[in-house]
Structure formats: structure tokens, C-alpha cells
Amino acid sequence: MTQSNEILRTLLSNFPVAELSSGEHQGVFESVKNRLIEAPDSGEELKNLYRVTGFSQFALGLMWMVDRAEKKPGQIAIGLEDETLLLSSFRKAMAEQSFPGQQSDSAAEVGGGGTGEADEKAFAGQIEQFSESVQSGSGGTRMFLEDLVTESETIARQGGASELVEFSSLLAEFLKFISERELLDDVRVINIVSNVSSTVSQWANTLPDARTGILEEALNMLRDFKTQFE
């Protein structure tokens, strides 16, 4: 058994299965968990899971946590932000598995008019993952970027809080810009992503009626990002 198998066993054993909406979803989780931890190389199995429709965010979250634990052995346990991210991404994965015309409990939670508090925190956690991946030069950075572009565009289309909609649209534009120009290891990108990540995390963890102005610094940075590369 590889180190990544052991880390995943610990992570997934602490996953809050009881918070999933149905026995069917819990059964799918147990099946995914067993497949990952019993695979000869769970790192390769995570890459396979990433390719399954709807499961890219869930797989990426686990990849990031495994990578973090390998570099910092004291950070294997799931924290509150990790739990929020994994729950949200697994629920979205299950929603995408629903048959057309049907909407499961998880689909009702994640679909339709805007994002809820859990989704906002999960989005902030996804940006934090990308930021840490960029700073460490991890091999999964491009996958993180592609998934974050998709999520940003989805949030921008869904509507909701005006500042989050604008932020998501600008972030998608920024990510496409640095991807097309192969700028992932550019110090200017590292600086922008780090600042944006900390600001969004603060916004997501602040009560909605106290958020006014928190995102403004990140918005200004993204509105004007191209000048940084002239």
C-alpha cells in the first residue's frame, strides 16, 4: 500500500458520511472510498476518478489534501474548510449523476438561483487549493486551473450576489489569460492569486450582512490584471 493510500484512508474515514442526503449517496461514497484506498496506487485511481462525469472537483480536492499531507504529515485530518469543500463537491457529483428531469436532494441544494453559504465556502476553498498549488509548483496545478475556470463560469451564470458574480467572471478571464500564456510560474501570478485567495476566504467566512467592501480589493486587482503583464 502506498503512502497516498494510507493518507486517503485517514481522510475518508473522517468524511461526514451522515451528512449526505440519502442512503444511496452514502453507498456511492463508500464504494468510491473503498475503490480509492484498496487500489494498488490510489494516486492513479484519483486521476481516474477525476475523469468521471461530475467528480473532478471531489477528486481534485482529495489530490490536494493528499499532496498537502505528504509535505506536512501533521495535516492529514479533515478541517472544517476541507469538510465543506469535499461535501459540496461530492453532492454536486451526485447531482450530475441524476437522470434528466429528476432532481435529487443534493441537486436541489446545489442547483438553481445562486450559491448558498456552503457553496461559497467551497468555492473559496477551491481558490485556496489553486493558490497553494501555484505557490508549491505542484503537478496538478493545470487541472486545478481548468476546474476553477469551469466553476467560476458556472457561478457567474447562476447569478446571486453582484460582487460574487463579477468576481467569478473576472477570475475566469484571468485564469484563461495566464493559461494561454503559460504564466503559472510567474511571480506576478503567484502574488495575484495569493491576494485574491485570502480576500475571498475572508468574504466567504463573513456573515452576508457584513461583507460590504471586502471583495473590492480582489475586484480591483482582477479588473486591472492585464496591466501587470504589459
Side-chain angles (χ1 to χ4, degrees):
M1 183 174 289
T2 67
Q3 183 183 14
S4 61
N5 289 65
E6 292 288 357
I7 293 170
L8 274 173
R9 181 186 296 276
T10 301
L11 287 172
L12 296 175
S13 294
N14 292 321
F15 184 87
V17 182
E19 294 190 33
L20 295 176
S21 59
S22 72
E24 178 189 357
H25 293 180
Q26 292 173 17
V28 172
F29 172 79
E30 291 297 335
S31 176
V32 171
K33 170 186 171 182
N34 292 335
R35 187 180 181 100
L36 287 172
I37 64 178
E38 293 172 5
D41 185 341
S42 62
E44 288 301 313
E45 195 61 35
L46 274 174
K47 293 177 183 177
N48 292 333
L49 181 62
Y50 174 81
R51 300 184 185 97
V52 176
T53 301
F55 277 91
S56 60
Q57 280 189 32
F58 183 70
L60 279 172
L62 288 173
M63 287 179 193
W64 175 67
M65 292 173 199
V66 169
D67 184 64
R68 180 185 63 187
E70 287 176 339
K71 293 174 180 175
K72 300 178 182 178
Q75 293 191 19
I76 295 180
I78 291 183
L80 181 58
E81 288 189 359
D82 296 338
E83 179 181 303
T84 299
L85 179 68
L86 289 179
L87 269 172
S88 177
S89 58
F90 190 84
R91 285 168 175 160
K92 287 182 180 180
M94 292 308 302
E96 291 195 30
Q97 308 309 306
S98 300
F99 292 105
Q102 296 182 341
Q103 187 178 46
S104 65
D105 291 340
S106 59
E109 289 180 38
V110 302
T115 59
E117 181 181 353
D119 282 337
E120 291 167 353
K121 290 183 178 179
F123 183 48
Q126 198 176 345
I127 296 171
E128 181 187 0
Q129 284 184 345
F130 176 65
S131 176
E132 292 195 11
S133 181
V134 168
Q135 292 179 61
S136 67
S138 120
T141 302
R142 185 157 293 280
M143 285 193 297
F144 281 125
L145 183 147
E146 292 171 356
D147 209 55
L148 188 51
V149 167
T150 300
E151 184 68 6
S152 297
E153 291 180 334
T154 298
I155 291 174
R157 286 195 303 270
Q158 284 178 341
S162 59
E163 66 268 35
L164 182 60
V165 170
E166 181 182 5
F167 171 81
S168 301
S169 178
L170 290 170
L171 180 62
E173 181 185 355
F174 168 71
L175 294 173
K176 290 176 182 177
F177 178 91
I178 63 175
S179 176
E180 290 167 359
R181 290 161 180 77
E182 300 290 340
L183 295 170
L184 279 171
D185 58 353
D186 190 297
V187 67
R188 293 165 295 184
V189 169
I190 295 171
N191 182 55
I192 291 173
V193 171
S194 176
N195 283 306
V196 164
S197 173
S198 61
T199 302
V200 175
S201 180
Q202 180 187 356
W203 181 87
N205 287 286
T206 300
L207 292 174
D209 58 0
R211 288 173 170 173
T212 303
I214 292 178
L215 273 184
E216 198 57 34
E217 181 181 354
L219 286 169
N220 286 334
M221 192 171 290
L222 290 174
R223 287 169 185 147
D224 199 38
F225 77 84
K226 289 182 182 178
T227 62
Q228 299 286 327
F229 302 92
E230 291 176 350

